[in-house]
Amino acid sequence: MTTALIADDEPMLIDELATQLAKAWPELSIVARARNGRDAVTQFEVYQPDVCFLDVHMPGLTGVEAARLIGRRAHLVFVTAFDQYALQAFEHGVLDYVVKPVKQVRLAETVTRLQERLRAAQPAINSEALLLQLAAQLQRAGTPPATPLRWLRVQIAKTLRLIPVDEIDYFRADSKYTLVAWRGDGGAPAEALVTLPLKDLAAQLDAARFVQVHRSTVVNLAAISHVVRGENETAAIHLKGRSDVLMVSRSYLHLFRQT
């Protein structure tokens, strides 16, 4: 049986990748899970898995640093959240990688390559020279530039959903949490709470698409059907395909004045 280790500093993403791997590679056994690079190396020494899925950015040791310590004792797949960043760093296509959120089709391609190497008893290709080159490329790239949030992870019971931000109608502060309202299966309205405060979420959104209309509400402009002006310098936002009505406070009314 082929064994694997998954290392990521976000437990929900470890669970999500494990679920996807169970579909793409049912015979694979996940024998270890790690929250940082040092733990990944420690877990590797204990379980000696055949394959390691390593998040590039982890506290303590990065995924690349952990890979250098693991050496050629395992086949490696790097996991990164940045498309362009990953393409630059892995431009020669020698080292395997997948991009968050991991797509099942891309993961299946990676699994097929790994299976072929394992059947052929090919040695792992994560040589020291390649890893040093990768580390240098990542260092030159530095911290990837801030880009608007594209996906939001939402926990519903025991299921982790990855919601495209463009499909979210609005966000509303709810005590220490934030209510996320989006279109679910078949376009039906759906809602869930996330633990990230509205202020932190708003800072990651595309300002050309999402605007704050109340101290507790941020709305997707593309989701607005019409706006009705009210008394006392207020307004009400009506949304496409939803019965929800969002109030616009006086401080944000200028966003909807006629020009």
Side-chain angles (χ1 to χ4, degrees), residues 167-170 181-183 187-190 209 219-227 237-246:
E167 295 179 8
I168 295 174
D169 292 330
Y170 67 89
W182 76 96
R183 303 305 174 91
R209 180 180 292 270
V219 66
N220 185 344
L221 291 172
I224 296 176
S225 169
H226 58 280
V227 180
I237 294 175
H238 295 256
L239 301 168
K240 299 173 184 176
R242 301 188 78 107
S243 60
D244 314 48
V245 177
L246 309 178

Side-chain angles (χ1 to χ4, degrees), residues 171-245:
F171 300 88
R172 176 181 286 155
D174 188 330
S175 186
K176 295 183 294 183
Y177 304 97
T178 300
L179 182 141
V180 182
W182 76 96
R183 303 305 174 91
D185 298 334
E191 296 180 353
L193 290 175
V194 295
T195 57
L196 199 61
L198 180 64
K199 181 180 178 181
D200 294 343
L201 262 175
Q204 301 179 56
L205 299 173
D206 184 352
R209 180 180 292 270
F210 289 87
V211 297
Q212 189 145 8
V213 296
H214 189 279
R215 62 184 178 84
S216 64
T217 310
V218 172
V219 66
N220 185 344
L221 291 172
I224 296 176
S225 169
H226 58 280
V227 180
V228 178
R229 294 288 295 267
E231 299 179 354
N232 300 321
E233 293 296 309
T234 61
I237 294 175
H238 295 256
L239 301 168
K240 299 173 184 176
R242 301 188 78 107
S243 60
D244 314 48
V245 177

Side-chain angles (χ1 to χ4, degrees), residues 21 55 66 78 81 102 113 118 143 155 179 193 214 232 246:
L21 282 168
D55 183 21
F78 291 101
V102 178
R113 283 196 297 273
L118 289 163
T143 303
Q155 188 78 30
L179 182 141
L193 290 175
H214 189 279
N232 300 321
L246 309 178

Side-chain angles (χ1 to χ4, degrees), residues 157-168:
K158 294 183 179 180
T159 302
L160 176 70
R161 292 285 302 273
L162 294 175
I163 310 299
V165 171
D166 288 349
E167 295 179 8
I168 295 174

